[in-house]
Amino acid sequence: MALANVNAEKTYLNRPKALGITVRRLQFNPKKIKRHYFANSPLMSHLLTALSSTFPIGEQYFVNSVRNVRDKVQEPQLQAQIAAFIGQEAMHSKAHTEFNDAWRKEDYNLDRFQAWLAKRDDALRNIHPKLQLALTCAFEHFTAMLGGYILKHPEILSTLDDDAMKLWVWHAIEEIEHRSVAFDVYQEVYGDDRIRRLLMRSVTTGFASLTFYATSRLIWQDKWKSLPKVGGNLFGMYLLGKMLIQLIPEYLSYYQTDFHPAKHDYTKLVNYWKARMADEYSMVSFQEEKVSKLYS
Ligand SMILES: [Fe+2]
Ligand SMILES: [Fe+2]
């Protein structure tokens, strides 16, 4: 073997590995997921589907905002975390594209909404890289917070079909795992706390209106089957209201000057769900992880 190749291999082997972030492949069948898959509530089901329809474009945006400044990151460990973050988000985009494709049927139309979103995405890719990254940090706070919330409420999750459960629990676990990456990159490259907090305000109103708009569109498209389910919708409103109220303290923590995503400790929660995904839901990626831990 040429000397240059040996050296390249040594450098590769010496590279730090990502800590606490595992890129997993999801095996699920989105076609098996029933129409009102969340607590038999059209409202909650359409809300989740609306979120899903934003993920392929949104998560690609998050990845790009980190890639924009990746060469400014000196810390080798953080470089490894970035690589794992990109790997996880790429898998999420793929899985949610499969999920969204399964919904392009009968009376659902996600294409017009996604075309509208793509135009906004184009505009947001032209803002300063610092603002793009600050936007990502704010969104990542939301995804980790929402992921943490659903994992803390197994009674809600238990109403989901198995395939829907696999998708949302897998995504929630990984959002929690990589919740600090964009934040750490932002701190190392810019560290401008005022802009970070300021952008959270814009993201909050933008995210809330986007979700409301996308959910309303889906409910409207499905109105004949959605609206008669009064009980399911009232229950959905109750769940949503309760969640929003309970999340206020965690949401507000983002505005603290000493905020760091890792301050919210989800270790036990994530370990609990990883074990359930491996044992109860027979998810191969979680089973492999369990085995590799046993032998490490
Ligand atoms: Fe994601
Ligand atoms: Fe994420």
Side-chain angles (χ1 to χ4, degrees):
M1 195 185 287
L3 190 61
N5 281 351
V6 174
N7 284 340
E9 203 166 291
K10 272 189 184 164
T11 318
Y12 176 77
L13 289 173
N14 290 337
R15 249 193 239 165
K17 291 199 166 46
L19 296 172
I21 307 176
T22 306
V23 181
R24 306 172 185 88
R25 198 172 282 279
L26 172 71
Q27 275 145 343
F28 79 130
N29 185 353
K31 289 192 175 136
K32 273 193 180 171
I33 299 173
K34 67 172 184 274
R35 181 173 288 240
H36 301 142
Y37 56 90
F38 195 129
N40 201 26
S41 165
L43 173 74
M44 288 304 280
S45 308
H46 293 320
L47 177 73
L48 281 192
T49 306
L51 285 176
S52 176
S53 70
T54 67
F55 287 156
I57 293 174
E59 299 200 300
Q60 194 53 53
Y61 182 89
F62 304 157
V63 165
N64 280 343
S65 71
V66 172
R67 270 204 189 117
N68 281 340
V69 295
R70 190 179 185 175
D71 58 356
K72 295 194 173 92
V73 173
Q74 307 293 327
E75 182 61 49
Q77 185 59 55
L78 187 50
Q79 283 289 354
Q81 305 299 97
I82 292 172
F85 160 77
I86 292 174
Q88 284 192 335
E89 295 292 35
M91 289 296 173
H92 301 169
S93 288
K94 186 176 170 289
H96 282 277
T97 301
E98 286 171 29
F99 177 85
N100 298 341
D101 285 345
W103 286 93
R104 284 185 170 82
K105 60 186 175 189
E106 302 159 21
D107 39 2
Y108 280 105
N109 183 339
L110 297 174
D111 297 335
R112 259 184 293 165
F113 171 69
Q114 286 189 319
W116 175 86
L117 194 65
K119 275 191 195 154
R120 262 98 210 130
D121 177 64
D122 276 350
L124 285 174
R125 277 175 196 247
N126 289 320
I127 63 174
H128 193 282
K130 177 175 163 182
L131 301 180
Q132 292 188 39
L133 190 56
L135 273 180
T136 298
C137 292
F139 272 111
E140 288 287 290
H141 183 56
F142 272 113
T143 52
M145 198 166 68
L146 293 170
Y149 189 85
I150 62 164
L151 295 189
K152 273 181 213 153
H153 293 83
E155 75 281 6
I156 300 175
L157 280 173
S158 65
T159 67
L160 265 71
D161 295 346
D162 276 9
D163 287 274
M165 179 96 166
K166 285 179 191 171
L167 171 71
W168 291 101
V169 171
W170 164 79
H171 198 163
I173 289 174
E174 296 198 349
E175 284 305 316
I176 290 170
E177 284 182 340
H178 72 232
R179 67 193 184 282
S180 300
V181 178
F183 183 89
D184 288 341
V185 172
Y186 181 85
Q187 291 302 102
E188 188 175 323
V189 178
Y190 300 111
D192 185 341
D193 227 39
R194 193 181 65 86
I195 292 294
R196 173 182 72 80
R197 285 182 283 163
L198 201 67
L199 265 281
M200 178 48 114
R201 289 188 200 161
S202 320
V203 165
T204 305
T205 45
F207 187 42
S209 27
L210 182 78
T211 311
F212 179 77
Y213 173 62
T215 308
S216 312
R217 279 186 69 115
L218 287 179
I219 292 178
W220 184 248
Q221 288 173 18
D222 184 47
K223 53 185 176 299
W224 303 119
K225 288 183 181 123
S226 282
L227 299 178
K229 285 195 175 172
V230 179
N233 286 326
L234 286 176
F235 181 57
M237 271 182 218
Y238 161 74
L239 289 179
L240 189 61
K242 191 171 98 168
M243 181 183 83
L244 293 176
I245 291 168
Q246 288 180 339
L247 282 177
I248 289 173
E250 195 172 337
Y251 164 74
L252 289 177
S253 69
Y254 192 83
Y255 294 95
Q256 289 164 1
T257 43
D258 63 346
F259 169 80
H260 190 281
K263 277 191 175 177
H264 296 285
D265 186 8
Y266 297 101
T267 318
K268 268 191 194 162
L269 192 66
V270 165
N271 287 340
Y272 166 81
W273 279 104
K274 281 188 343 190
R276 269 189 80 174
M277 289 294 111
D279 303 335
E280 218 174 298
Y281 290 86
S282 309
M283 288 180 73
V284 179
S285 49
F286 288 102
Q287 288 172 335
E288 286 170 352
E289 202 177 324
K290 206 172 160 186
V291 172
S292 72
K293 257 199 187 143
L294 282 176
Y295 290 100
S296 65

